[in-house]
Amino acid sequence: MASPLFELSADMRTTAERRRRSHRSHSRYVREAVPMPEPALTTQTPDPWLESAPLLTGMDEVGAGLLDSLDAMQRVAASAGRGPLLINASPGTGKTHLLIRRVAYLVQELGVPAGQCLVLAASKPGVARIRRELGTLLGREAAAITVGEFDDFAAASPPELGHVFIDDLPRMPMRLFRQVTEHRGPEADITATGDPDSALCAGEPAAFAAFGERFPQAHVMRLSRNHRSPAAVLVAASQVIEPISRVPGRLVQPERPALEGSGIGRCFAVDADDEKHFVETLTDRLAELGVAPEELAVIGPDGMSVAEAADGEFRVVCLTGVTAEDWPNTAAARRELYVALGRTRDLVYVSHTGTGSPLLADVDQGLFSPFGMVPQVRSGPEQPRLL
C-alpha cells in the first residue's frame, strides 16, 4: 500500500495502525446502522486561479498580466521559449489552464502570429473552454487562432501551421499525431499536455509515448501542485494508481489544507434499492445546500460512465455499484477509479452492496467516512479452555 503524501489528521489513521491493536480470539462481524454524515462542502474556498501563488525569484516580471493566475512551475512552463515542450502532470494540476496561457503568452509577448497557431483538444468542452479563455486574454486577435477537436480531423488532415498546441495528448489518435508531426523537425514549436495515467486504454498511450521518440530534445515538465481536489481524495487516488502508474515516483501536493473536508463517504448498502435510496437522499441534500445538478456526477449502472465524466469537473462525485464484480482488481478498473476520483472539487462518495471492490481495500481506511449498514468487529468473552 502506498504511503500518504502528507500528514493526515488523527481521525484519518490508517487501517494498518488499527490492526496492530490486539483482538480477542472470539471476534465476529456484525452490521451496525450508521447515518450518512452531513456533506461538508468547502464552498468558501477561494478560486485557486485568483490567488497569488508563490513565485520563483525573478518570475514576477515574466508575462505580467497573462500569467498572473499561474503558480511558479506553471509560469516556468508557460513562459518557456519556442521548441518542443511536454507537460506531464496529473489531474487538477492546471494543464489546460497553463496551455491556454502559453498560447496567449507566445502570441502577445513573443510575437508569434496568431494565424500560425493550431490548438487541438480532446473534447468539445475542451475546445469551447480554450476558445472562450483565449478570447478573454487576446480579444479579437484570438479569432485568428485555429482551435479544433481531435474528431474534427477524422477524415481530413489538420492545417500545417507553424505553432502547435495539443491538450490531453494521451487521447490523441496515433493517425492524427503522425499527421501533425510528420513534416516537423526535432526543434519544432509544439507544446503538449497530458497524464498517461488518465488514459483509459490498455498499454501505454501511443501518441504520448511517441512524443519523446519524435522530439528527443523536448523539455519535459512535471507539475506537482493540485489545485482541484481535497487532500483525502488525492491520497486515495495515488494509492489506487500507484501499483500500475505509468509515471512512477510522481508526487502530488494539495493546494488546499490537508485537514479540509470530511474524507470520502462510503455507503454500505443492504441491496440495490437501498443504494438507490442513498443516491436520492444525497442528491436532495446537495440540492438543499446549493449544488446544481450539473455539479454532481453520479457514476455507475444508473448514471454516467467514467469516460463521460472524464471530460468534466464536479463539486461532488458519487460512484455507485463499486462491487468486486464490477470493479475487480485489474489495471483497467484501477485506472477508471483513479480518473473518477480526480474529477472532484469537493466531495467523493462510493457505495456498494456486500464487501465492496478489492480496490477499496488498497486505500487507507481512515480516509473513508463509513455509513449505512457498516460492518463492525465485536469481540465476545473468552471461553475457558480445558487443560
Side-chain angles (χ1 to χ4, degrees), residues 272-341:
D273 289 338
D274 189 31
E275 192 169 26
K276 289 180 181 178
H277 177 69
F278 150 65
V279 174
E280 293 170 357
T281 301
L282 176 65
T283 302
D284 292 343
R285 186 67 189 106
L286 291 174
E288 294 172 358
L289 294 173
V291 177
E294 64 273 13
E295 294 180 307
L296 167 64
V298 178
I299 300 172
D302 297 323
M304 65 176 69
S305 67
V306 174
E308 291 170 331
D311 287 327
E313 181 179 306
F314 309 92
R315 287 181 69 184
V316 181
V317 170
C318 179
L319 289 149
T320 64
V322 189
T323 62
E325 180 181 2
D326 293 333
W327 293 80
N329 188 2
T330 63
R334 281 185 181 278
R335 217 165 288 288
E336 288 201 342
L337 183 55
Y338 169 77
V339 169
L341 292 172

Side-chain angles (χ1 to χ4, degrees), residues 176-189:
L176 180 57
F177 179 78
R178 292 193 189 99
Q179 290 176 333
V180 170
T181 62
E182 62 182 349
H183 299 306
R184 301 178 190 275
E187 299 298 324
D189 190 8

Side-chain angles (χ1 to χ4, degrees), residues 20-378:
R20 283 195 280 270
R21 301 172 186 171
S22 60
H23 292 285
R24 294 184 181 273
S25 58
H26 293 275
S27 299
R28 61 189 179 90
Y29 282 98
V30 297
R31 298 275 180 173
E32 179 178 323
V34 177
M36 183 179 78
E38 180 71 6
L41 293 166
T42 54
T43 53
Q44 301 304 312
T45 303
D47 185 338
W49 305 124
L50 299 180
E51 291 266 295
S52 296
L55 303 180
L56 298 180
T57 303
M59 292 303 295
D60 53 326
E61 298 299 324
V62 176
L66 286 175
L67 308 184
D68 281 351
S69 61
L70 302 182
D71 65 34
M73 292 310 298
Q74 290 172 334
R75 285 194 176 210
V76 171
S79 61
R82 302 178 189 181
L85 174 65
L86 178 63
I87 311 299
N88 181 347
S90 58
T93 51
K95 296 182 295 295
T96 302
H97 185 80
L98 182 159
L99 186 76
I100 294 169
R101 270 69 192 168
R102 176 162 174 77
V103 176
Y105 176 82
L106 292 180
V107 170
Q108 195 167 92
E109 299 291 328
L110 300 189
V112 169
Q116 281 295 310
C117 292
L118 171 64
V119 187
L120 299 172
S123 65
K124 286 182 173 59
V127 168
R129 175 187 174 183
I130 291 169
R131 284 177 174 157
R132 180 178 65 252
E133 295 190 20
L134 283 177
T136 300
L137 294 170
L138 297 176
R140 294 181 180 179
E141 198 170 11
I145 298 174
T146 301
V147 183
E149 184 186 359
F150 295 167
D151 288 347
D152 292 342
F153 305 103
S157 297
E160 293 188 14
L161 301 177
H163 308 272
V164 179
F165 306 85
I166 304 171
D167 191 36
D168 212 347
L169 177 63
R171 293 173 60 182
M172 174 174 270
M174 193 60 192
R175 175 198 53 79
L176 180 57
F177 179 78
R178 292 193 189 99
Q179 290 176 333
V180 170
T181 62
E182 62 182 349
H183 299 306
R184 301 178 190 275
E187 299 298 324
D189 190 8
I190 180 169
T191 299
T193 72
D195 173 26
D197 280 335
S198 295
L200 301 176
C201 62
E204 190 77 13
F208 194 91
F211 191 93
E213 298 172 2
R214 184 69 184 81
F215 304 104
Q217 303 303 318
H219 293 287
V220 180
M221 296 203 65
R222 295 186 179 183
L223 307 178
S224 60
R225 180 179 294 176
N226 184 287
H227 297 271
R228 178 187 295 158
S229 301
V233 175
L234 295 183
V235 173
S238 71
Q239 292 175 342
V240 166
I241 200 65
E242 191 269 340
I244 61 165
S245 177
R246 294 163 177 154
V247 192
R250 179 166 59 192
L251 297 178
V252 180
Q253 299 173 329
E255 173 73 14
R256 294 156 66 175
L259 302 184
E260 183 180 85
S262 60
I264 300 170
R266 182 174 180 178
C267 175
F268 289 82
V270 175
D271 52 29
D273 289 338
D274 189 31
E275 192 169 26
K276 289 180 181 178
H277 177 69
F278 150 65
V279 174
E280 293 170 357
T281 301
L282 176 65
T283 302
D284 292 343
R285 186 67 189 106
L286 291 174
E288 294 172 358
L289 294 173
V291 177
E294 64 273 13
E295 294 180 307
L296 167 64
V298 178
I299 300 172
D302 297 323
M304 65 176 69
S305 67
V306 174
E308 291 170 331
D311 287 327
E313 181 179 306
F314 309 92
R315 287 181 69 184
V316 181
V317 170
C318 179
L319 289 149
T320 64
V322 189
T323 62
E325 180 181 2
D326 293 333
W327 293 80
N329 188 2
T330 63
R334 281 185 181 278
R335 217 165 288 288
E336 288 201 342
L337 183 55
Y338 169 77
V339 169
L341 292 172
R343 307 324 300 172
T344 187
R345 288 191 287 116
D346 262 324
L347 296 176
V348 169
Y349 291 86
V350 296
S351 70
H352 56 81
T353 57
T355 57
S357 166
L359 301 181
L360 300 179
D362 279 357
V363 176
D364 283 342
Q365 300 303 291
L367 299 175
F368 291 120
S369 296
F371 59 94
M373 296 305 295
V374 181
Q376 304 283 355
V377 176
R378 290 288 183 267

